[in-house]
Structures are given as structure tokens and as C-alpha cells.
Amino acid sequence: MTGFYGEHSKVFVSVDCLIFGFEENKLRILIGKRQMDPGRGEWSLYGGFVGAEESLEDAANRVIYELTGMRNLYIRQVGAFGAIDRDPGERVISVAYCTLINVKDYDDSLREQYGLQWVNLDELPTLYSDHNIMVRNALAQIRRRINTEPLGFRLLPSLFTLTQLQHVYEAVQGSPIDKRNFRKRIKDIDFIEKTELIDKVTSKRGAALYRFNKRIYEDDPTFNLK
């Protein structure tokens, strides 16, 4: 450390991570009870302080890996939160990041290890400090982007039915979607490929399984479901 800026007061910088999943046609988020003061026992997002040798994104990736055991996930910065009284312990500025995962890929032993719970967004309790605001802001950003970026596929397994995909969009947007129009738009998108496989688990009649072709998308990243 240098001796520069000694005349200025110091603040702490942290990251808070919003991990969204999709299950039983609901959009969910991982939360837990705080294990430290201030706010011990309150529902909270999970985060951590940024290390001296870490970038903000490095810190977010570290926290997300600790909670999920997954690497190379999609993450997006939600925003910075720096109200003077947001943390009664110290002056803490937090930068929120969100990620989207397929719940079926998640190692549930990590949830138990950290005392976390999947909670439906429409049943979200009051969270510590400004964490509810972080969730609202993240959801608003996802809703804006999901029609122009292939975000919905990150919440699904590699093979999915069109009904499952529609339920993801309905869960994110919080409203029903016309089935006929949705399928018409999906079938016009080259990187959503129909396979020869049939789903006989979630569909009694048997539904065709589709997949997201990342290579085709990267060659022509045009996507608009509006």
C-alpha cells in the first residue's frame, strides 16, 4: 500500500450476488439468513467484500462459485448501491451482480452447506438493507433484455420443449404469453434447433425437444421476440 490519499476517509466495497433459477414454472432466487452482525438472522442475498487483489467481477465470480460450484456462468452487473446508511455496521458500497442457472444443474449440498433457500420471486420476504431493491432492479433488467438476448436458455436444461421455454418467458415477464404467436416467433429463429428427441417425462403425449445452438447465434446474434 502507498501513503497516498491518507487525508480521505476509507470505505468498504462489497459485492452482492443474485442467483436466479427456474423450477416448477416459477422464477426463483437463492437467499439465506445472515450469519453475521449487523442483521444477523435476517433474510439476505449472499455476498462478500472485494479483496485487495480482486476486480469487482472477480469477486462476484468467486462468490457465485462458492454458492453454486459452477464456473463460466453468465453474470451481469446490476448496479452500485451506496446510500450512506445502507449498512449500519460501516460505510459499505455494494455492487450487485446477477446470474441465471438451471436449477437441475445445481449441487443442492451447497445450498444446505450455506443455509440457503430457493424462494419464488412472488413470495420474496423482506431482505436485509437494500437487497429487495437489488432484486427489483435485476428483474427489471432481465425483463428488458430477455426479448433481445438469449437469456431464457440459461434457465433451462440443454434440451427443452417449447412449452418449457414459454413458461420461462412467462415467469420472467410475470404475465401469460399467447402460445400461437410465441411458437411462430420461436420457429423463425435459426439458433433454436428442433432435435429428433421426444420428451415423455414432462409431456404425456410426447413433445419435441429443442436446443440452443450457441455457434449459430454467435455467427448471427440477431434475436427479437418482441
Side-chain angles (χ1 to χ4, degrees):
M1 300 293 289
T2 70
F4 298 117
Y5 314 127
E7 71 275 20
H8 298 286
S9 59
K10 301 298 188 294
V11 300
F12 293 90
V13 179
S14 68
V15 292
D16 282 298
C17 297
L18 298 86
I19 300 172
F20 291 98
F22 175 77
E23 193 175 33
E24 298 178 355
N25 299 336
K26 293 283 190 176
L27 190 63
R28 296 177 165 178
I29 189 169
L30 271 179
I31 61 173
K33 295 287 186 76
R34 278 178 66 87
Q35 304 297 314
M36 59 186 294
D37 294 319
R40 186 183 297 271
E42 294 183 32
W43 286 110
S44 172
L45 299 173
Y46 196 96
F49 289 102
V50 179
E53 304 299 324
E54 286 184 313
S55 68
L56 289 170
E57 192 164 308
D58 287 343
N61 276 313
R62 169 176 54 80
V63 171
I64 290 170
Y65 176 72
E66 289 174 357
L67 296 181
T68 68
M70 301 178 187
R71 297 191 187 275
N72 302 316
L73 294 174
Y74 163 92
I75 71 167
R76 188 92 182 213
Q77 188 180 119
V78 175
F81 297 80
I84 294 173
D85 59 351
R86 65 172 302 276
D87 191 310
E90 291 286 353
R91 179 79 167 95
V92 180
I93 295 172
S94 183
V95 181
Y97 284 83
C98 74
T99 188
L100 308 171
I101 69 171
N102 173 26
V103 174
K104 293 292 190 295
D105 291 338
Y106 178 66
D107 182 353
D108 202 55
S109 67
L110 290 172
R111 182 188 62 78
E112 296 178 356
Q113 177 183 337
Y114 287 100
L116 302 173
Q117 289 190 26
W118 285 109
V119 176
N120 296 338
L121 282 187
D122 56 6
E123 300 173 351
L124 191 67
T126 299
L127 303 178
Y128 175 74
S129 184
D130 49 11
H131 290 187
N132 284 90
I133 299 174
M134 294 179 183
V135 175
R136 289 199 297 270
N137 289 3
L139 181 58
Q141 291 178 19
I142 293 170
R143 283 175 172 169
R144 287 197 300 270
R145 294 182 180 124
I146 196 168
N147 288 319
T148 56
E149 298 178 29
L151 301 184
F153 308 105
R154 301 181 183 277
L155 294 164
L156 290 168
S158 58
L159 295 173
F160 52 85
T161 66
L162 293 185
T163 297
Q164 289 173 316
L165 184 60
Q166 180 176 335
H167 286 162
V168 164
Y169 278 80
E170 289 175 333
V172 170
Q173 295 174 352
S175 60
I177 297 172
D178 182 79
K179 178 179 178 179
R180 182 178 298 178
N181 288 338
F182 180 80
R183 295 196 173 204
K184 181 179 178 181
R185 293 174 183 174
I186 289 296
K187 289 181 179 180
D188 289 336
I189 298 174
D190 291 340
F191 57 76
I192 302 178
E193 294 183 332
K194 184 177 180 179
T195 73
E196 300 298 320
L197 302 173
I198 299 296
D199 172 33
K200 295 183 179 180
V201 177
T202 63
S203 173
K204 292 181 180 179
R205 298 173 60 184
L209 287 166
Y210 290 73
R211 64 185 170 209
F212 169 62
N213 189 314
K214 184 178 180 181
R215 180 185 57 78
I216 293 178
Y217 172 74
E218 290 176 344
D219 288 342
D220 181 18
T222 302
F223 184 49
N224 196 326
L225 274 178
K226 292 182 179 179

